[in-house]
Amino acid sequence: MPPPADIVKVAIEWPGAFPKLMEIDQKKPLSAIIKEVCDGWSLANHDYYALQHADGSNFYITEKNRNEIKNGAILRLTTSPAQNAQQLHERIQSSSMDAKLESLKDLASYSRDVTFAQEFINLDGISLLTQMVESGTERYQKLQKIMKPCFGDMLSFTLTAFVELMDHGIVSWDTFSVAFIKKIASYVNKFAADISILQRSLAILESMVLNSHDLYQKVAQEITIGQLIPHLQGTDQEIQTYTIAVINALFLKAPDDKRQEMANILAQKQLRSIILTHVIRAQRAINNEMAHQLYVLQVLTFNLLEDRMMTKMDPQDQAQRDIIFELRRIAFDAESEPNNSSGSIEKRKSMYTRDYKKLGFINHVNPAMDFTQTPPGMLALDNMLYFAKHHQDAYIRIVLENSSREDKHECPFGRSSIELTKMLCEILKVGELPSETCNDFHPMFFTHDKSFEEFFCTCIQLLNKTWKEMRATSEDFNKVMQVVKEQIMRALTTKPSSLDQFKSKLQNLSYTEILKIRQSERMNQEDFQSRPILELKEKIQPEILELIKQQRLNRLVEGTCFRKLNSRRRQDKFWYCRLSPNHKVLHYGDLEESPQGEVPHDSLQDKLPVADIKAVVTGKDCPHMKEKGALKQNKEVLELAFSILYDSNGQLNFIAPDKHEYCVWTDGLNALLGKDMMSDLTRNDLDTLLSMEIKLRLLDLENIQIPDAPPPIPKEPSNYDFVYDCN
């Protein structure tokens, strides 16, 4: 007979004694269980003791998390969080350097546990650590020369404990003094050789900037871009990642009027070329967090264009009108200008109108009106002027080539430039805040100081080329823009390493090639609409859906590693979830790092019976997304979020690593609950498999015998004299 559900069998350790096997009744108060354990070892004052996991995490067991104790768990009897916090609070103030060092090491370890952290913070522990940081350098200045390793370790453990305690979100970042900020900022320069101190100092600065507007201003005064740049020129990718994260944080929180000023400083310090040389083109793979920080920097850089993108042209502004005059002058040669200056005003207006028509503006009389739509606003005019000045030959060729045509196949340069600029802003999501989970940076945008303008110059030449290949007229304008967008998107997905490589990719994606790709995709997605085929589809669809269902369940049995999002993204915490082979239980548990391959069931301590699952909710309906739903920067996280709701108001919250895993898990969980699989992935798989099955069934296989088993592999030849040696 199985034991009652509320009884858990565990082993409990106590230093110097044999472990005890005992049954824990989850209905009894935790204090009563601890008293029972203490009585067994004749320990008085049971209030001074607590239970904690002995599996390496060393987290305390509380009334809130006691339900996580599973059969066979190994627990440890230890001093209570309050006692432990009190003892460490006293020990870290010891006059003995060895005792102080050991206690700070313990504090750094224990601070990961929120139960301990709360007790230590209640003793004003954060203030004590900040005081130690503020006064520590002076106090141990004399000891530094003879005890430098000891001093470095002490500071490292102090900063680690501080970071872990603050990560729980119990204490506000607004409480810290300027002296503390100055000290942390000084460590960025002083301890460049000490990786652990530098890493934690950068992490603290980033958190300060992101979590407090007041601290942003103070940090911005204490740390300069010039002080951060040298850390990018090293070889430690983690330090480079933290450094770029601080730069991104300063960039993100800077007031609108200061961002362009900061961008100019970054350009002066050659940040782009340093990142290109020491990070992107370094002889090592770029990890996910570095890719994310590069993506954030890319987005923030392009967002500087938002102001121009959303600025309408003022038709009365002479300086803005002069830009249009300059476009005309470059295209149609300034030498003819003096000869026409003596002509009548009407004649000059007529000439200008003719030239503006040749330039491809919609409003020939007053082309300034073409730039009153936002987006792209004045950004389109900026791009046109850049193209005319920096790629003058190509600009003149495109304008004259199209202005001299009389067959209605001319490509309007002005209209094309405006629509292309708008399209590029949409592709690069100019004006949107960076996603918390995206790693999609493009190396080619780090190869040029004017990457967006150069991107435009390449694409406007592509548009003109595609227009000619399509033999388009003004009625085909939208069709051409769709083809150009497809060409650009397909080229970008290959992640070209330079703008030249991007141009090369576009050369291979001519209109003819796009037609071939479309035809191929259309054939693969061919949908037969005749009545017999539709009847056949209806007949075999349940079989295909069952096949998809089994695939989803098999993927759930393999399991997936999920990431826990926290305020400091780099210190990722992982957990793994998988379905038991009999499809009756979900096994899950925390991991120290992202696993390589599957994680066995027995290493996952927690279980959730499928029978207990009440519902699966997604997006804004998820409990962990309630307060985040309205935030723009959490849009992508929202699309990957789902939760399992089970008995006693319990919930298991997920954030899928990508859209594919999201679809697999939501489909699999719905299949377990006997509900329809509604994801986009299921629809695509169903269409693909139905199409393949129908094509197979329609093959003319009369009098052709299909073998039940594959043909045997032939024996190896006696010699390989027939092999041709290319060398």
Side-chain angles (χ1 to χ4, degrees):
M1 183 176 174
D6 294 319
I7 301 298
V8 184
K9 293 184 177 181
V10 299
I12 300 180
E13 299 175 342
W14 173 249
F18 287 107
K20 277 189 174 186
L21 297 176
M22 68 178 291
E23 294 183 349
I24 291 179
D25 185 350
Q26 292 284 38
K27 290 181 179 177
K28 290 173 69 174
L30 191 59
S31 58
I33 295 169
I34 293 170
K35 183 178 186 303
E36 184 182 336
V37 174
C38 290
D39 291 345
W41 274 310
S42 303
L43 298 172
N45 300 323
H46 70 273
D47 291 338
Y48 291 174
Y49 296 93
L51 292 173
Q52 66 179 183
H53 291 283
D55 58 2
S57 68
N58 296 331
F59 285 175
Y60 281 103
I61 293 165
T62 64
E63 290 289 355
K64 286 184 179 179
N65 65 22
R66 62 182 294 178
N67 289 330
E68 296 175 7
I69 303 173
K70 303 302 176 185
N71 276 316
I74 301 175
L75 309 181
R76 182 187 300 119
L77 185 67
T78 185
T79 52
S80 68
Q83 285 292 111
N84 198 6
Q86 183 66 51
Q87 290 170 10
L88 281 174
H89 191 274
E90 294 169 1
R91 283 168 52 204
I92 62 175
Q93 300 179 71
S94 169
S95 57
S96 166
M97 291 292 285
D98 291 337
K100 195 181 189 77
L101 179 63
E102 195 61 33
S103 58
L104 284 169
K105 183 178 179 181
D106 291 342
L107 179 63
S109 175
Y110 279 115
S111 295
R112 294 182 299 118
D113 185 354
V114 66
T115 310
F116 170 85
Q118 184 68 69
E119 295 292 345
F120 190 77
I121 289 169
N122 289 344
L123 296 171
D124 211 15
I126 294 281
S127 296
L128 176 60
L129 291 179
T130 55
Q131 287 168 18
M132 290 172 64
V133 169
E134 288 172 18
S135 62
T137 311
E138 287 79 7
R139 185 180 297 177
Y140 300 109
Q141 196 78 41
K142 295 177 181 178
L143 295 170
Q144 222 179 327
K145 292 181 180 178
I146 57 173
M147 300 184 68
K148 192 168 184 179
C150 179
F151 175 80
D153 289 342
M154 281 178 58
L155 186 54
S156 174
F157 289 136
T158 304
L159 295 178
T160 302
F162 176 84
V163 167
E164 295 291 354
L165 290 167
M166 291 302 298
D167 200 29
H168 296 297
I170 300 169
V171 178
S172 168
W173 282 94
D174 287 311
T175 57
F176 300 107
S177 66
V178 175
F180 180 71
I181 298 168
K182 285 178 179 285
K183 193 63 70 176
I184 296 297
S186 72
Y187 293 158
V188 172
N189 301 317
K190 269 184 191 171
F191 295 98
D194 193 318
I195 299 299
S196 60
I197 294 176
L198 178 58
Q199 183 190 90
R200 284 152 184 79
S201 299
L202 289 167
I204 292 169
L205 290 176
E206 183 201 4
S207 294
M208 284 179 172
V209 172
L210 291 176
N211 289 289
S212 168
H213 178 68
D214 289 340
L215 288 187
Y216 154 72
Q217 294 176 319
K218 293 171 184 174
V219 171
Q221 290 171 359
E222 295 301 325
I223 200 82
T224 65
I225 300 301
Q227 292 170 323
L228 294 171
I229 291 291
H231 301 309
L232 290 172
Q233 296 170 315
T235 56
D236 189 296
Q237 189 170 117
E238 198 163 359
I239 293 298
Q240 291 175 324
T241 304
Y242 276 86
T243 304
I244 297 176
V246 173
I247 293 171
N248 285 339
L250 290 168
F251 213 152
L252 186 64
K253 293 298 178 179
D256 293 342
D257 57 333
K258 294 285 185 183
R259 276 188 196 160
Q260 188 59 58
E261 183 183 324
M262 185 174 174
N264 295 337
I265 294 171
L266 295 177
Q268 289 171 9
K269 299 294 182 181
Q270 299 183 318
L271 176 71
R272 179 198 58 76
S273 60
I274 289 170
I275 289 176
L276 182 67
T277 304
H278 296 279
V279 178
I280 296 175
R281 291 182 177 170
Q283 298 300 312
R284 61 174 179 270
I286 293 176
N287 61 36
N288 285 340
E289 182 53 35
M290 174 59 86
H292 172 73
Q293 294 301 338
L294 291 173
Y295 152 79
V296 171
L297 183 59
Q298 173 185 294
V299 171
L300 295 176
T301 303
F302 284 141
N303 280 357
L304 293 170
L305 303 169
E306 185 181 14
D307 183 50
R308 295 293 282 174
M309 180 182 78
M310 301 307 294
T311 300
K312 294 181 180 181
M313 184 170 184
D314 180 2
Q316 307 305 318
D317 189 317
Q318 188 58 43
Q320 294 179 0
R321 290 167 63 87
D322 286 346
I323 299 175
I324 297 177
F325 291 148
E326 182 69 4
L327 287 173
R328 179 192 163 279
R329 185 194 67 76
I330 294 172
F332 302 114
D333 195 1
E335 290 180 8
S336 60
E337 197 70 26
N339 298 329
N340 293 319
S341 60
S342 58
S344 68
I345 295 175
E346 288 299 322
K347 188 175 180 182
R348 290 179 63 192
K349 277 187 177 179
S350 173
M351 181 184 67
Y352 283 175
T353 300
R354 185 189 69 231
D355 289 348
Y356 291 148
K357 184 177 180 181
K358 289 180 180 179
L359 278 169
F361 289 113
I362 297 173
N363 192 319
H364 308 149
V365 178
N366 186 7
M369 300 303 295
D370 287 15
F371 300 96
T372 55
Q373 179 190 358
T374 57
M378 287 296 292
L379 184 60
L381 189 57
D382 294 343
N383 283 340
M384 292 167 72
L385 183 63
Y386 182 91
F387 181 51
K389 285 190 170 183
H390 294 84
H391 299 269
Q392 193 166 331
D393 291 344
Y395 167 70
I396 293 172
R397 177 177 54 78
I398 287 175
V399 173
L400 296 184
E401 193 177 80
N402 288 289
S403 64
S404 61
R405 298 185 70 136
E406 296 182 359
D407 55 3
K408 296 185 179 179
H409 290 291
E410 66 276 3
C411 175
F413 173 74
R415 182 185 176 192
S416 299
S417 297
I418 292 167
E419 289 302 317
L420 179 64
T421 301
K422 183 178 178 181
M423 180 202 293
L424 298 184
C425 288
E426 289 171 358
I427 290 173
L428 298 176
K429 299 181 179 179
V430 174
E432 292 188 22
L433 288 170
S435 160
E436 291 179 349
T437 57
C438 187
N439 301 334
D440 189 24
F441 83 97
H442 293 278
M444 74 176 192
F445 292 131
F446 290 86
T447 62
H448 202 285
D449 288 328
K450 297 284 186 181
S451 58
F452 184 80
E453 290 84 347
E454 288 293 325
F455 186 41
F456 168 84
C457 294
T458 300
C459 293
I460 192 65
Q461 293 177 74
L462 167 73
L463 193 154
N464 188 64
K465 173 175 169 283
T466 302
W467 185 284
K468 288 190 289 186
E469 290 172 349
M470 293 177 68
R471 291 190 56 76
T473 63
S474 56
E475 288 79 13
D476 302 316
F477 188 85
N478 290 334
K479 290 180 184 177
V480 176
M481 295 305 293
Q482 288 172 7
V483 173
V484 169
K485 184 173 184 178
E486 186 173 344
Q487 290 170 312
I488 293 169
M489 294 298 289
R490 288 185 183 276
L492 284 177
T493 54
T494 64
K495 292 291 179 74
S497 60
S498 66
L499 287 161
D500 286 338
Q501 200 176 91
F502 176 65
K503 291 176 191 174
S504 177
K505 298 285 183 187
L506 291 176
Q507 286 295 326
N508 297 328
L509 285 169
S510 63
Y511 175 57
T512 307
E513 186 62 26
I514 291 293
L515 287 180
K516 287 180 183 176
I517 293 170
R518 286 180 174 179
Q519 180 66 22
S520 173
E521 290 176 351
R522 195 176 297 119
M523 288 178 65
N524 291 335
Q525 298 170 1
E526 197 171 38
D527 187 13
F528 302 106
Q529 296 297 325
S530 64
R531 186 174 170 185
I533 299 299
L534 291 174
E535 289 177 357
L536 178 59
K537 268 189 174 184
E538 194 175 330
K539 182 180 177 182
I540 63 178
Q541 184 165 318
E543 181 184 330
I544 300 295
L545 280 171
E546 182 61 29
L547 187 67
I548 294 171
K549 175 183 172 182
Q550 290 305 317
Q551 188 272 340
R552 300 292 191 265
L553 293 176
N554 289 340
R555 279 289 292 106
L556 264 61
V557 170
E558 290 175 17
T560 301
C561 178
F562 296 94
R563 184 168 52 82
K564 294 182 178 179
L565 279 184
N566 57 20
S567 58
R568 289 183 298 108
R569 191 180 185 277
R570 274 171 314 290
Q571 295 202 355
D572 282 346
K573 295 178 181 178
F574 299 96
W575 68 288
Y576 200 89
C577 188
R578 62 182 300 180
L579 181 65
S580 63
N582 63 5
H583 300 174
K584 291 186 177 181
V585 178
L586 281 172
H587 298 263
Y588 62 96
D590 291 341
L591 300 175
E592 289 297 320
E593 57 185 3
S594 182
Q596 302 296 321
E598 291 183 25
V599 175
H601 292 100
D602 52 11
S603 67
L604 302 173
Q605 304 88 3
D606 303 308
K607 296 179 184 178
L608 172 61
V610 172
D612 290 349
I613 298 176
K614 299 299 181 186
V616 176
V617 294
T618 60
K620 290 182 180 179
D621 296 327
C622 296
H624 60 315
M625 290 288 116
K626 292 290 186 185
E627 68 266 6
K628 293 188 175 185
L631 295 179
K632 190 176 179 183
Q633 61 263 47
N634 285 297
K635 182 181 175 184
E636 288 197 28
V637 177
L638 202 64
E639 292 174 353
L640 300 175
F642 61 98
S643 297
I644 294 174
L645 308 181
Y646 55 92
D647 287 345
S648 307
N649 297 320
Q651 61 198 39
L652 197 57
N653 298 320
F654 299 76
I655 295 174
D658 52 50
K659 192 68 177 176
H660 182 271
E661 287 296 318
Y662 169 85
C663 293
V664 166
W665 273 84
T666 51
D667 282 344
L669 292 170
N670 281 323
L672 285 173
L673 299 178
K675 297 181 180 179
D676 292 337
M677 299 178 292
M678 304 297 292
S679 75
D680 294 339
L681 184 62
T682 291
R683 283 195 291 273
N684 292 337
D685 287 351
L686 181 62
D687 290 344
T688 303
L689 292 172
L690 269 176
S691 176
M692 288 173 61
E693 184 67 21
I694 287 172
K695 287 176 182 177
L696 284 171
R697 294 197 182 199
L698 293 178
L699 286 174
D700 185 8
L701 298 176
E702 191 174 348
N703 299 323
I704 297 176
Q705 187 175 0
I706 300 175
D708 295 327
I713 298 173
K715 293 180 180 178
E716 286 194 28
S718 57
N719 64 67
Y720 291 88
D721 294 344
F722 58 86
V723 175
Y724 179 72
D725 187 358
C726 296
N727 298 321

